[in-house]
Each structure stands twice: as structure tokens, then as C-alpha cells.
Amino acid sequence: MLNDEGHVQGVVRRDVPMLCADWGAKDEDALVHTLGVNLLAALGRSFGEVGVSEFPVPRAQQWQRKLVRVDSAWFSYETRKPTLLAEFERFSRETAIEKLTNLCVAAHGCDAVPEVLLLCLWSTDGKSVEAPWLKPNEPLSVPGGPPVTKPTESNVFIVHAVFGRRGEQLHFLRFRRLT
């Protein structure tokens, strides 16, 4: 669904116009992060889901000391269960591993296991973003708890949100699947 560039750009124009090329956003503070989180929630709504931002997930039994608030969550109107949990972060190896860990812990904390765990790593166009070292099926270290693995019912997708630059302004170009 993220491969449909026309649909995604339509959501950007309608719901997050600051990510359009004719508007743009400065790469300062958490502005790009906030807009990306809103884009993910808006995409959920555009696909007929309840799309929310900054969703606090109940603590998973094995990781009581790890509070997780995912950047975006989608819920089915019909079942009222989560269908997708997502993190949107600037690309770095350390952050990618940390956010993948958060997604796995969060999935275990949900009443119903979400079908999709989406890690969206952003950077500007031309920056090489590859993540062969991210192994979604391998155990991940969790401070204050046992290692975590993704629930068997969940699929992990890692995508690159590619941003263009016009002067000081960044704008969303496209998603590129990494895994």
C-alpha cells in the first residue's frame, strides 16, 4: 500500500501539506518526526483504519519496566484491534535497532497481536539507507527485561521515507521498502 505513490502523495497533499515540495519543513527540533508520525496516522485513515499518533501501548508482562509509546497505530473499525504499529525515525543504526525493539515489545503488550510492525527510517535523497544488519526474526536486547522477538503472527516491514531538499526545506518524495 505504501508503494502506491499517487495515493501516498494525495494523503500528503490533503493531510500533511507541510511535507509537500511547495511548502516544505525545516529540519529542526522534532518537526520532521512529528509530520512523519502524522503522515503514518493519515495513511491509516486513508486505508479505512483508525489511525492515531503517539499511541501508548500497555506494558507487556515480560517487560514491565519498558514503557512504549509507538509513533503511530492503526486499528480496525470492525474488530477494534490493532492492525499496525509503526515507528518513524531519522536513519541511524542505533536508533533503528532501538525502535525495532520498541515495536516488538509493544506488539507483545497489545491485547491482540497486530498484523504489521512498520519501522520507517527517514533520510534525505541521496543518502544511502540500507539495513541488512536488521534481523526482525532474531532476539533483541531489552534493558531491564529478557530479549524480545517479534510475535509469530506479526510481519515486520522496514521502509525508507525519502525526503528531498529545496534550500532549507525538506519535503517527502516516496517510500522505499528495505525488507
Side-chain angles (χ1 to χ4, degrees):
M1 50 192 177
L2 299 180
N3 287 336
D4 184 345
E5 288 189 30
H7 180 82
V8 172
Q9 287 296 334
V11 171
V12 169
R13 281 189 302 280
R14 183 182 64 245
D15 296 317
V16 197
M18 290 173 74
L19 290 179
C20 291
D22 63 346
W23 189 325
K26 284 190 176 182
D27 182 9
E28 58 186 19
D29 297 321
L31 181 58
V32 174
H33 179 265
T34 298
L35 295 171
V37 169
N38 280 283
L39 173 59
L40 292 176
L43 284 167
R45 291 187 291 275
S46 78
F47 292 118
E49 302 282 304
V50 177
V52 297
S53 300
E54 298 292 333
F55 180 71
V57 177
R59 292 177 196 254
Q61 188 61 36
Q62 303 95 307
W63 301 278
Q64 285 295 309
R65 296 173 60 196
K66 176 95 169 138
L67 177 63
V68 178
R69 181 174 48 233
V70 296
D71 288 335
S72 184
W74 300 359
F75 292 85
S76 164
Y77 275 101
E78 190 175 297
T79 66
R80 298 183 178 187
K81 306 284 185 200
T83 57
L84 176 142
L85 300 179
E87 291 281 7
F88 183 90
E89 294 297 326
R90 182 189 305 264
F91 175 73
S92 80
R93 184 177 180 142
E94 181 180 297
T95 302
I97 292 169
E98 176 187 334
K99 295 305 178 175
L100 182 58
T101 302
N102 280 354
L103 286 170
C104 291
V105 169
H108 286 285
C110 292
D111 291 337
V113 176
E115 181 181 332
V116 175
L117 304 178
L118 177 67
L119 177 58
C120 186
L121 304 169
W122 75 269
S123 75
T124 54
D125 195 20
K127 179 173 181 181
S128 177
V129 174
E130 300 299 332
W133 38 265
L134 273 177
K135 310 271 190 238
N137 294 317
E138 291 184 6
L140 298 161
S141 177
V142 179
V148 66
T149 56
K150 74 166 190 70
T152 56
E153 303 93 339
S154 296
N155 296 297
V156 175
F157 296 100
I158 303 171
V159 299
H160 177 202
V162 182
F163 281 78
R165 180 181 298 277
R166 180 176 293 153
E168 293 294 313
Q169 306 295 330
L170 297 180
H171 57 277
F172 177 80
L173 294 173
R174 67 187 168 283
F175 288 114
R176 184 175 69 86
R177 188 167 168 187
L178 298 177
T179 64

